[in-house]
Amino acid sequence: MPDTAKLILGEKSYDLPVITGTENEKAIDITSLRNSTGYITMDSGFMNTGAAVSNITYLDGELGILRYRGIPIEQLAEQSTFVETAYLLIYGTLPNKEELGKWSQALTENSYIHEDMKHFFDGYPSTAHPMAILSSMVSTLSIHNSWALKPNLNEAEKYRMFVLLLAKMRTIAAYSYKKSIGEPYIYPTDNFSYCANFMNMMFAHPSRHYEVNETLVKALNLIFVLHADHEQNCSTSTVRLVGSSKSNLFATISAGIGALWGPLHGGANQEVIEMLEQIRDDGGNVKKWVEKAKDKDSGFRLYGFGHRVYKNFDPRANIIKKSANEVLDALGIEDPLLEIAKKLEEAALSDQYFIDKKLYPNVDFYSGIILKAMGIPVNMFTVMFAIGRLPGWLAHWKEMVEAPDFKINRPRQIYHGPAINNYIPLDLRK
Ligand code: ACO
């Protein structure tokens, strides 16, 4: 294959370097194009724009492949934990025993949030959306960690920031839930694992006995591992963009949380459950809803279906569907929403519209069923996604700020507004 691409513009031709990835993916490097030709490239929605050369995650949307640092997602889902996967994503290799011990210990020690921060929770109305609380509280962490506000952190400071964010975001999430139901905050406990600690902070109560359920801890680990990274998705690109101004990591992650909140991205898991409930309340006729999703005028989409990158199947969806069945079986729960989800999937996958447009269930289609079985309220689903995606955000931020070609991200545009115009004083305007 050629290592340069030729661009012919009028009479002139230009050689542009071709970049080849590990799996033979090809890109044409157009960095020099504007200087040499005066042209920019247009790609609305970044449908075909490579924003980074990255060593973190490989995915092939056609073949349904997802690997973190080369390790297939199926292996990580089966054998790893979220804490270990977070280290893998951020530092590039699986930790040895000593590294994992230190990492886990640091996460435990950093679980507590400053006592003063509890007053901020008190100020939020109980109706506040937990994503709003999460993004503001992550930003608020900067108030108590002014050491981390400088533009460049050294290795040790980065490590400290990573464990701080991974540990405290989970506590903030649990506190936001306790706030919403008016129950006392439950402090983190040192002898619990990461996911068990989260479950305990969510569901324990000073006056009730609460036993952390190992099946749920395992399922939560799985959900977090499956969400941990997904290369240049909307929220990760946001993290890269905001971080590229050398904004501090609290503000940067808070921006990522904002991007994740949207229903076309992380907010889809909440939309899926609400959609399944709507279908159930409407009598459960899935065919009717599939027809509605095909009708552009209805404004309705099948949430949890379709993906910008996966055009065959989402490997995470297959794993999570299996887990949804296992969790419900283990808990002895019969959730009619799971049945509706399965019927809806079947109806959509055999429908020509969905076949032609290559629309398949994505990771969010079944994750909500498990989260619901755990007792996580629907408006916290996207918060769960945010906790899971945090290692990916941190890994991409680290990779970006350490890259030799680091630059502030700043796309260009083609201006299509009015040509030069004159200012008209107010009393002369029509
Ligand atoms: N239901 C019905 N039709 C759909 C759906 C859907 N879920 N998704 C896409 N389509 C149709 C579109 O109407 C469009 O049709 P057209 O070509 O006739 O105009 C075509 O399929 C392509 O869709 P786009 O929106 O252009 O595809 P894009 O890659 O921009 O969007 C997205 C991908 C946002 C995920 C989209 O499929 C969607 O809205 N899905 C529902 C929301 C969702 O589940 N989001 C979670 C994504 S996974 C994640 O973030 C973890």
Side-chain angles (χ1 to χ4, degrees), residues 45 47 227 230 233-235 260 262-269 271-272 275 290 292-296 300-311 314 316 353-354 357-365 385 389:
M47 301 279 286
H227 283 86
H230 214 233
N233 57 87
C234 176
S235 56
L260 189 76
L264 296 188
H265 189 16
N269 54 13
E271 300 286 340
V272 169
M275 172 186 79
V290 167
K292 199 172 165 188
K294 287 155 57 179
D295 173 10
K296 292 260 187 311
F300 171 75
R301 276 188 172 197
L302 275 195
Y303 281 98
F305 257 80
H307 199 276
R308 170 61 60 84
V309 183
Y310 293 121
K311 300 297 174 196
D314 178 341
R316 304 166 302 171
Y353 172 97
F354 285 82
K357 294 191 188 301
K358 299 189 169 182
L359 300 169
Y360 296 88
N362 57 51
V363 66
D364 287 328
F365 194 65
F385 191 158
R389 183 53 55 85

Side-chain angles (χ1 to χ4, degrees), residues 178-416:
K178 287 298 196 192
K179 165 74 198 176
S180 73
I181 56 169
E183 284 192 0
Y185 306 123
I186 301 295
Y187 282 69
T189 310
D190 281 5
N191 54 356
F192 278 144
S193 69
Y194 188 93
C195 290
N197 222 335
F198 177 73
M199 297 295 285
N200 193 60
M201 284 191 279
M202 286 285 289
F203 301 116
H205 188 280
S207 67
R208 293 193 296 264
H209 174 72
Y210 175 74
E211 191 93 35
V212 177
N213 180 318
E214 277 312 311
T215 304
L216 297 186
V217 168
K218 195 169 158 239
L220 188 57
N221 252 305
L222 177 77
I223 289 181
F224 284 161
V225 167
L226 295 182
H227 283 86
D229 191 43
H230 214 233
E231 48 118 300
Q232 312 299 323
N233 57 87
C234 176
S235 56
T236 304
S237 300
T238 302
V239 164
R240 279 185 175 261
L241 194 79
V242 175
S244 80
S245 75
K246 296 250 166 161
S247 182
N248 68 76
L249 197 45
F250 299 110
T252 302
I253 296 300
S254 178
I257 295 168
L260 189 76
W261 195 353
L264 296 188
H265 189 16
N269 54 13
Q270 172 170 348
E271 300 286 340
V272 169
I273 290 293
E274 286 168 359
M275 172 186 79
L276 294 175
E277 285 171 347
Q278 232 181 326
I279 298 175
R280 177 200 59 199
D281 297 344
D282 188 46
N285 181 352
V286 292
K287 287 244 159 61
K288 173 179 159 190
W289 289 82
V290 167
E291 289 307 315
K292 199 172 165 188
K294 287 155 57 179
D295 173 10
K296 292 260 187 311
D297 296 334
S298 72
F300 171 75
R301 276 188 172 197
L302 275 195
Y303 281 98
F305 257 80
H307 199 276
R308 170 61 60 84
V309 183
Y310 293 121
K311 300 297 174 196
N312 194 343
F313 68 96
D314 178 341
R316 304 166 302 171
N318 289 357
I319 299 170
I320 219 157
K321 181 180 178 182
K322 194 165 153 260
S323 172
N325 280 317
E326 284 167 7
V327 168
L328 266 54
D329 278 354
L331 298 179
I333 296 176
E334 276 185 30
D335 188 345
L337 293 193
L338 181 62
E339 289 318 306
I340 293 177
K342 285 181 184 167
K343 279 193 203 145
L344 189 62
E345 179 186 354
E346 212 182 297
L349 290 182
S350 56
D351 189 283
Q352 206 52 45
Y353 172 97
F354 285 82
I355 295 168
D356 290 346
K357 294 191 188 301
K358 299 189 169 182
L359 300 169
Y360 296 88
N362 57 51
V363 66
D364 287 328
F365 194 65
Y366 284 104
S367 65
I369 306 267
I370 304 180
L371 294 172
K372 193 166 161 277
M374 283 175 181
I376 310 275
V378 174
N379 70 354
M380 272 203 63
F381 284 7
T382 317
V383 168
M384 305 302 290
F385 191 158
I387 301 173
R389 183 53 55 85
L390 182 59
W393 291 337
L394 298 176
H396 282 271
W397 175 86
K398 181 174 184 293
E399 185 176 72
M400 179 190 67
V401 296
E402 291 173 1
D405 62 347
F406 172 82
K407 279 188 187 62
I408 185 167
N409 288 194
R410 206 297 188 187
R412 297 215 172 234
Q413 64 159 23
I414 294 294
Y415 174 71
H416 229 269

